Amino acid sequence: EPEVTQTPSHQVTQMGQEVILRCVPISNHLYFYWYRQILGQKVEFLVSFYNNEISEKSEIFDDQFSVERPDGSNFTLKIRSTKLEDSAMYFCASSEVRGRAKNIQYFGAGTRLSVL
Amino acid sequence: GESVGLHLPTLSVQEGDNSIINCAYSNSASDYFIWYKQESGKGPQFIIDIRSNMDKRQGQRVTVLLNKTVKHLSLQIAATQPGDSAVYFCAEISNSGYALNFGKGTSLLVTP
């Protein structure tokens, strides 16, 4: 069964450092997403990406964040200067379609980001 | 604004019993809802979805009910098994159709 894969599973970094989280969405999917989940809290939307551009972003997704699809398979989330409060699980998701009537998003296993 | 919340943070049921997990939403214009299951250390896993033009949808051992009048949906799991132990989230689609807005989650614990 096709799945979304994320690497690394755990990333430890120092405050102020740049990190890049990587994702390989399901191959025939066109819509890509990043979410985060702070320990013990709900999953929060960060950004969606379609046709090589951001289609929607949340207030969390400020200038420190960027996304890119550098090639035909990878989808990355970059945090330029990490802060302690960026520590969280980051989930990548993808969907075949999107819309208010149908949008099944399939999630990867996540990358745990620990900022020290 | 859009918000989705869950009534109970934890639910403990005996193996073989039926489970009901509830969710309330505040945006009366919400068109689409999804239930996800999240096991420890894993990402959310799609269970079942429902559109706002439906009251009920059934899957394998799961049923989702939608009551638009009181803005409430529930997930019913029949004959709950130990493998059903997880955190369950309801999510609603944003007005743009891109973002999923998740509730806080209900932790389901199945005891033998």
Side-chain angles (χ1 to χ4, degrees):
Chain A
E1 184 177 322
E3 59 180 15
V4 176
T5 57
Q6 291 186 242
T7 55
S9 57
H10 190 192
Q11 175 82 51
V12 182
T13 189
Q14 294 290 325
M15 190 169 57
Q17 294 297 303
E18 174 183 287
V19 294
I20 297 176
L21 310 183
R22 303 180 191 279
C23 168
V24 179
I26 294 173
S27 61
N28 65 329
H29 286 186
L30 300 176
Y31 301 89
F32 315 118
Y33 313 85
W34 284 101
Y35 291 80
R36 80 172 186 190
Q37 185 179 32
I38 295 172
L39 186 63
Q41 299 188 21
K42 65 180 182 180
V43 178
E44 300 174 290
F45 170 77
L46 293 177
V47 65
S48 62
F49 192 83
Y50 169 70
N51 199 27
N52 283 321
E53 60 182 24
I54 291 173
S55 45
E56 184 178 2
K57 61 182 181 179
S58 71
E59 292 179 353
I60 303 169
F61 193 88
D62 61 21
D63 292 344
Q64 292 298 312
F65 291 88
S66 63
V67 289
E68 191 179 26
R69 188 157 164 83
D71 52 44
S73 60
N74 290 285
F75 179 51
T76 62
L77 174 70
K78 182 193 292 185
I79 308 175
R80 291 190 182 83
S81 179
T82 50
K83 303 186 285 288
L84 294 176
E85 53 265 38
D86 293 327
S87 296
M89 281 291 287
Y90 286 82
F91 293 107
C92 174
S94 69
S95 66
E96 191 174 3
V97 298
R98 74 94 185 164
R100 293 185 60 182
K102 190 76 170 180
N103 189 341
I104 301 175
Q105 296 181 19
Y106 295 91
F107 285 75
T111 293
R112 178 170 297 284
L113 177 64
S114 299
V115 182
L116 306 179
Chain B
E2 299 171 320
S3 68
V4 180
L6 288 138
H7 291 306
L8 296 173
T10 60
L11 178 65
S12 182
V13 298
Q14 282 202 312
E15 182 178 356
D17 287 351
N18 297 332
S19 304
I20 299 176
I21 301 171
N22 296 304
C23 180
Y25 63 95
S26 60
N27 182 8
S28 57
S30 294
D31 287 332
Y32 178 68
F33 305 89
I34 302 183
W35 281 99
Y36 283 93
K37 171 186 180 183
Q38 187 177 27
E39 296 173 285
S40 181
K42 297 184 179 180
Q45 178 186 358
F46 169 78
I47 302 173
I48 192 168
D49 60 351
I50 188 168
R51 298 181 186 181
S52 60
N53 61 351
M54 302 171 70
D55 296 324
K56 178 180 179 179
R57 189 151 191 242
Q58 288 185 291
Q60 188 178 13
R61 280 200 309 118
V62 294
T63 300
V64 57
L65 299 177
L66 176 62
N67 186 330
K68 292 180 286 293
T69 302
V70 294
K71 292 182 285 188
H72 179 272
L73 68 159
S74 65
L75 178 71
Q76 300 178 1
I77 305 173
T80 314
Q81 302 168 359
D84 294 326
S85 292
V87 177
Y88 289 80
F89 294 94
C90 63
E92 63 177 346
I93 195 71
S94 67
N95 287 336
S96 70
Y98 287 105
L100 287 175
N101 298 319
F102 282 78
K104 289 187 177 181
T106 292
S107 177
L108 176 66
L109 177 63
V110 182
T111 56

